[in-house]
Amino acid sequence: MPKKSKVKRQSSEEEQLAPKQSRVEPGDPPALLSPLSFHGPADLFSSLLQPLNSDTFFREFWEKKPLHLQRSDPSIAAYYKSLFQLSDLQALCSEGLQYYSDVNVVRCINGQKKDLNKEGRVKHSVLNKSLLQNKATIQFHQPQRFKDELWKIQENLECFFGTLVGSNVYMTPEDSQGLPAHYDDVEVFILQLEGQKHWRLYSPTVALATEYSVESEDRIGSPTHDITLKEGDLLYFPRGTIHQASTPSGVHHSTHLTLSTYQRMSWGDLLLDVLPSMLSESSRTDVSLREGMPQRILLGNGGSEDTCRRLAAHLRSVADVMETGKLEVRCTHLKRDFITNRLPPYSEQQIAPSGRIPALEDVVCLRFKEHMVITVEPSQQRTEEATEQVVFVLHSLKNQRESHMMGEGDEEEDRDISRGLQFPLSHLQALQQLQKEEQVPVVQLQLHSQEEKLSLVLALWSECLLVAL
């Protein structure tokens, strides 16, 4: 799930998880030809849905109804299987996996989830016993930390959707079910990697749900979809769709990959982010927003009819100004959360400044545009004067793949760490110019002096965000 799991910090004595890059050894079989296109994020998503057109998908299925794509192409089934297999667990257990944070062992019994986790480090022999003898499902968290091809796929999907994309792998033995009927707060794409999985989907009790919940059998009614996924198949369903899945009899085990996205990406979430800054900005020019509240409103009269009318009038006034385009909509917290927690760009080498140092006579362009955001926020430097607004250029180039979607670290602490550069507010137009245009001559940057123009491109170049053409 995209929601970052809360993982207990390990003590200094505990061995830290350190995912390794995959290696190609002499005698290994040749790499499979990918049926996915990596020419760009949109191409990747389109190829994932083939033969369905992506425009058709968003018009007819996205946030509306489930989709099952059956594939008869053996090359797609072989490629899916290469993404993750049950047999991969033996090598991965040597990486210092931990129960709960990296692996969950569960089984659904009489409609209830039974937790079969142990404590501490995961041993492959114990996992194998859980699978074969206890009929348990092994849930492996965020395999993109270990699998390069999944890193590549999910990094492209994060660029395409503009939000976090998480993943889990579920390995379920024959005639068994891991989780009870439930719904999620994410858009879900299932890729069947090994074996078969029988899925039952039900109408939502909460449309486009904003939280995870288990649903009792007496509430969900009859399935709207009864589907058996085979190797190479894809299943999509919107958040809120109630679902449960089991491995059929006669199938040794099922392995499927869940790609999930669009958690906390609703209009309501955007309003929660942008309204505080909009109201603050409006208060500077609208004296009615600076008038005092009625006496004793905090002692219990906050919901009076007159108070509600006044608040509604203020909100309408702010909305009217916003609709004219005179009030800038500034999304800050959602941008920071995304850029701080997303995957770094897929690269086999460490990212470094590219090409020569830019000069005034050069034409320049941004690198990794889809891995950077521009925000306008109060300066992090505390002064006695009025809060100064500054521009932040935040990026994910230095993010750690190993911790992607693992919830490590303190979120409030992370917000105070600048993942990039800070500039005066006067640099905003020049930065937006670079962001919107493919190529920009340095001398044409919308800044007052040549020194400011050169200083800006040098700072971006040093941060690996710009190249001179």
Side-chain angles (χ1 to χ4, degrees), residues 321-337:
V321 176
M322 181 175 63
E323 203 166 24
T324 65
K326 296 179 181 179
L327 189 61
E328 188 172 353
V329 177
R330 292 174 178 170
C331 172
T332 299
H333 296 296
L334 288 175
K335 283 184 176 181
R336 273 192 173 268
D337 182 72

Side-chain angles (χ1 to χ4, degrees), residues 5 7-8 97-104 141 145 406:
S5 57
V7 181
K8 294 181 180 179
L97 303 181
Q98 301 283 321
Y99 283 102
Y100 296 102
S101 60
D102 299 301
V103 171
N104 265 340
H141 298 309
R145 297 176 294 142
M406 294 302 290

Side-chain angles (χ1 to χ4, degrees), residues 9 20 28 63 90 94 114 144 150 164 167 170 190 196 204 225 227 246 273 275 299 311 332 375 389 392 437 441:
R9 292 181 182 269
K20 296 179 181 178
D28 281 354
E63 293 189 332
Q90 185 167 359
S94 67
K114 184 176 182 181
Q144 71 278 5
L150 288 175
L164 297 174
S167 69
Y170 296 85
I190 305 291
Q196 298 179 15
H225 297 75
I227 296 167
S246 59
D273 194 4
L275 274 177
L299 294 177
L311 287 174
T332 299
T375 67
Q389 296 289 307
F392 288 98
E437 299 179 21

Side-chain angles (χ1 to χ4, degrees), residues 324-368:
T324 65
K326 296 179 181 179
L327 189 61
E328 188 172 353
V329 177
R330 292 174 178 170
C331 172
T332 299
H333 296 296
L334 288 175
K335 283 184 176 181
R336 273 192 173 268
D337 182 72
F338 173 45
I339 216 70
T340 299
N341 291 293
R342 66 169 301 185
L343 280 164
Y346 176 80
S347 177
E348 295 180 357
Q349 298 177 344
Q350 186 174 359
I351 296 172
S354 178
R356 67 181 185 279
I357 299 175
L360 278 173
E361 60 271 17
D362 283 328
V363 174
V364 297
C365 70
L366 290 180
R367 302 171 68 199
F368 304 109

Side-chain angles (χ1 to χ4, degrees), residues 22-216:
S22 59
R23 297 179 181 177
V24 178
E25 300 291 347
D28 281 354
L32 290 170
L33 183 64
S34 173
L36 302 181
S37 171
F38 291 97
H39 294 301
D43 288 331
L44 182 279
F45 185 72
S46 293
S47 64
L48 188 67
L49 291 178
Q50 287 297 327
L52 183 72
N53 179 275
S54 58
D55 290 337
T56 302
F57 169 76
F58 283 107
R59 183 175 62 253
E60 298 183 9
F61 296 95
W62 176 255
E63 293 189 332
K64 297 180 181 71
K65 61 182 180 180
L67 167 69
H68 176 205
L69 293 176
Q70 295 175 286
R71 269 64 176 270
S72 57
D73 188 343
S75 67
I76 295 180
Y79 174 74
Y80 274 18
K81 187 175 291 188
S82 74
L83 297 177
F84 200 102
Q85 301 178 50
L86 177 63
S87 59
D88 291 336
L89 282 178
Q90 185 167 359
L92 287 169
C93 285
S94 67
E95 301 285 356
L97 303 181
Q98 301 283 321
Y99 283 102
Y100 296 102
S101 60
D102 299 301
V103 171
N104 265 340
V105 182
V106 294
R107 185 179 179 188
C108 178
I109 301 176
N110 297 324
Q112 301 292 321
K113 184 180 81 169
K114 184 176 182 181
D115 184 344
L116 300 174
N117 281 326
K118 308 295 182 182
E119 293 293 333
R121 288 186 58 164
V122 177
K123 294 182 180 179
H124 180 255
S125 59
V126 177
L127 266 191
N128 202 44
K129 180 180 178 182
S130 296
L131 185 82
L132 298 178
Q133 295 185 18
N134 299 332
K135 292 284 189 177
T137 288
I138 299 170
Q139 178 188 19
F140 190 88
H141 298 309
Q142 310 305 335
Q144 71 278 5
R145 297 176 294 142
F146 299 86
K147 293 287 191 173
D148 288 354
E149 193 76 357
L150 288 175
W151 174 18
K152 190 177 180 182
I153 290 170
Q154 288 176 236
E155 184 252 326
N156 271 271
L157 289 176
E158 288 189 332
C159 289
F160 177 76
F161 285 111
T163 187
L164 297 174
V165 175
S167 69
N168 285 315
V169 170
Y170 296 85
M171 292 151 280
T172 305
E174 176 183 4
D175 199 24
S176 182
Q177 179 171 332
L179 299 172
H182 67 281
Y183 60 80
D184 298 300
D185 56 348
V186 286
E187 301 296 304
V188 172
F189 297 85
I190 305 291
L191 279 60
Q192 186 65 30
L193 309 183
E194 293 183 304
Q196 298 179 15
K197 201 72 175 280
H198 176 218
W199 288 81
R200 286 172 290 167
L201 310 182
Y202 307 80
S203 295
T205 51
V206 180
L208 300 180
T210 58
E211 59 184 4
Y212 166 93
S213 181
V214 174
E215 282 286 20
S216 60

